Amino acid sequence: MKKGIFAAFLVLVATKSIVDAFWNIRMGPLSFGSIGGLLIPILFYPTLLNRKNFPKSWRLNATFLFLALSLSFILALPVKLSATLELLILNLNIYMGFFLIPSLITNKKRLKQLLLAIIICGLFPIAVSLFQFQTGIIFYARETVGLTRYVGFYHDAFPVRFYGLMTLLAILMYFQFFKPQRFLKYFLYGVTFSALFSVYLVFSKAGVGITGLWIALIMFFSKSKVKQTIAIAVALIVVSVMFGDVIYGNIEQLFSKETGYQAGEIKDARYTLAGRGYVWQEYWDFWTNEQPLFFQIFGDGLTRPTHNEFLRLLLISGVVGVVIFVFFIIRMFNSVFKANREYKLFGLMLLTMFIVDCTGLMPGNYYFYNILVWGLIGLTTLNKSLE
């Protein structure tokens, strides 16, 4: 903080992947990683004071998401006081995420520093994934459809996949807005390949889906589609030569339940997507059969492990909250589509990742995720520091 809140924020970003590795350590009622979420509103409160400098439409976007996440939190206070207060602080972090990065990134030099901090953040989980792959040492045993996931020191595949994808995005943005020197350029090429391999090693359906959507978006917005097509084709050939059919076989195994359902070998659709259908069915039945009408409309403020953000919000904030959330997403797409073509790509990449994650995960439970996503979308949408 002696260096300023921007320096403090760079340290937060660059070290977040290491902090998250201590997820199983608790300090009282809070996990070690949650301490950061508690400190952010205290350390970076000036960004809230400066939010009036942003366009009204952007401030409304932040308000709509905060309302969707917090509509009925007051109803949950008598039921689960500490958990509800923690959720409220989390939602405050998400609200601040709309203003934090755009407020701090005031010139291209700071943008470069932020992108390098995101890349540095990704180096730790990437290095751990490659170490596990090379040595066969598994720190936490995690499996899916018979495949061993290289999740490193984390609880599940999400952190490795998220940090890997954000590293890729930061590298793409770095090449878009800056011209790295030869050594840095080759280093970033190596990190790009390593990040892709790291995302692959956690065997995440969402990771595969997001990567595929990102490639499609890059192809669509590329000024030289032929050049991009050749580059992707060469990369696929190199992968085939290096690993043979192993990668393709593993990806086929990863989606074996889904392909089995399409082929008629699996009769119950709930069995696909890692069995999330059973979880969705359970909570849908709870909402339709057990919740009173008032809670169905406005929610009961209690968060649950639904593995679907829309369903989670249906329980937290009811039908009203889901409608606000959908309206928010539409507004965000509208904001991104109004951006310049070279910036639009990065906003769409972040939004598509968010939509995919809303399907099988609960992005609203991760404050750092939202700080990066909405902050970077704010940069690309408002075009601050990019001119």
Side-chain angles (χ1 to χ4, degrees):
M1 290 300 292
K2 290 182 179 179
K3 297 286 186 179
I5 61 173
F6 176 64
F9 184 69
L10 289 182
V11 172
L12 166 70
V13 172
T15 60
K16 187 63 171 64
S17 62
I18 298 176
V19 171
D20 285 351
F22 298 93
W23 58 271
N24 55 348
I25 297 177
R26 301 193 67 83
M27 302 179 68
L30 299 175
S31 66
F32 187 74
S34 299
I35 301 299
L38 185 64
L39 292 177
I40 285 176
I42 299 173
L43 296 177
F44 304 109
Y45 72 90
T47 61
L48 285 178
L49 303 179
N50 297 330
R51 67 185 185 279
K52 290 185 178 180
N53 297 329
F54 288 81
K56 182 179 179 180
S57 61
W58 188 249
R59 284 182 277 136
L60 282 175
N61 288 339
T63 301
F64 283 134
L65 181 56
F66 184 79
L67 281 176
L69 295 170
S70 311
L71 184 64
S72 298
F73 82 94
I74 196 169
L75 300 176
L77 284 173
V79 182
K80 291 185 177 181
L81 178 61
S82 61
T84 304
L85 290 177
E86 187 175 353
L87 181 65
L88 184 61
I89 294 173
L90 170 65
N91 294 346
L92 179 60
N93 276 270
I94 294 173
Y95 180 80
M96 290 181 63
F98 284 81
F99 311 105
L100 187 52
I101 289 178
S103 293
L104 295 176
I105 307 303
T106 55
N107 53 56
K108 277 207 164 185
K109 179 182 178 181
R110 285 193 167 191
L111 174 61
K112 178 185 290 188
Q113 291 172 328
L114 173 64
L115 295 177
L116 289 175
I118 295 174
I119 294 169
I120 291 171
C121 177
L123 294 181
F124 174 71
I126 290 171
V128 172
S129 295
L130 297 180
F131 172 81
Q132 289 181 110
F133 176 77
Q134 184 66 30
T135 63
I137 298 174
I138 305 298
F139 298 110
Y140 287 99
R142 301 287 186 268
E143 291 189 358
T144 179
V145 291
L147 298 171
T148 299
R149 287 177 154 176
Y150 296 87
V151 301
F153 296 104
Y154 302 109
H155 177 265
D156 54 26
F158 172 76
V160 180
R161 188 257 290 174
F162 171 65
Y163 290 125
L165 290 175
M166 290 307 301
T167 300
L168 291 171
L169 182 78
I171 291 173
L172 288 173
M173 293 183 69
Y174 195 96
F175 277 109
Q176 175 69 38
F177 300 115
F178 307 100
K179 293 182 179 180
Q181 298 297 321
R182 178 177 296 181
F183 174 79
L184 180 59
K185 181 189 295 185
Y186 291 130
F187 173 75
L188 293 179
Y189 286 153
V191 174
T192 299
F193 177 80
S194 300
L196 282 170
F197 195 56
S198 175
V199 172
Y200 156 76
L201 286 176
V202 295
F203 300 112
S204 164
K205 296 181 179 69
V208 174
I210 292 168
T211 303
L213 288 171
W214 280 14
I215 291 174
L217 286 170
I218 292 171
M219 293 286 294
F220 181 80
F221 284 94
S222 173
K223 294 180 181 179
S224 177
K225 293 182 173 55
V226 174
K227 183 178 179 180
Q228 293 289 348
T229 302
I230 293 175
I232 293 173
V234 169
L236 291 174
I237 292 173
V238 170
V239 169
S240 298
V241 171
M242 291 180 63
F243 300 100
D245 296 329
V246 175
I247 289 181
Y248 304 109
N250 286 341
I251 293 178
E252 184 178 6
Q253 175 66 19
L254 178 63
F255 288 93
S256 58
K257 292 182 180 179
E258 289 71 28
T259 55
Y261 176 74
Q262 292 293 327
E265 299 170 1
I266 296 176
K267 303 299 182 182
D268 193 342
R270 294 174 297 178
Y271 189 64
T272 61
L273 298 177
R276 281 177 169 78
Y278 294 106
V279 178
W280 299 342
Q281 183 70 55
E282 176 185 351
Y283 284 111
W284 176 256
D285 290 341
F286 170 76
W287 182 81
T288 55
N289 299 324
E290 300 182 38
Q291 287 284 60
L293 180 61
F294 181 86
F295 286 167
Q296 288 180 336
I297 297 175
F298 297 103
D300 60 13
L302 297 173
T303 187
R304 298 171 177 87
T306 59
H307 288 284
N308 181 284
E309 188 70 352
F310 296 96
L311 185 55
R312 187 177 79 96
L313 290 179
L314 185 65
L315 295 169
I316 291 178
S317 303
V319 174
V320 175
V322 173
V323 171
I324 295 174
F325 186 60
V326 172
F327 183 61
F328 159 76
I329 292 175
I330 294 172
R331 284 179 60 91
M332 291 303 300
F333 271 107
N334 184 55
S335 297
V336 169
F337 276 116
K338 289 181 179 178
N340 293 340
R341 183 180 178 88
E342 58 181 325
Y343 310 146
K344 190 182 302 181
L345 167 63
F346 303 113
L348 287 176
M349 290 173 70
L350 288 164
L351 276 179
T352 53
M353 180 179 71
F354 179 74
I355 295 299
V356 172
D357 284 338
C358 282
T359 304
L361 293 172
M362 300 175 293
N365 278 343
Y366 306 99
Y367 68 89
F368 187 68
Y369 178 104
N370 286 269
I371 287 174
L372 288 188
V373 168
W374 307 126
L376 291 175
I377 289 179
L379 278 182
T380 58
T381 300
L382 305 174
N383 293 340
K384 293 186 66 175
S385 311
L386 300 182
E387 300 297 340

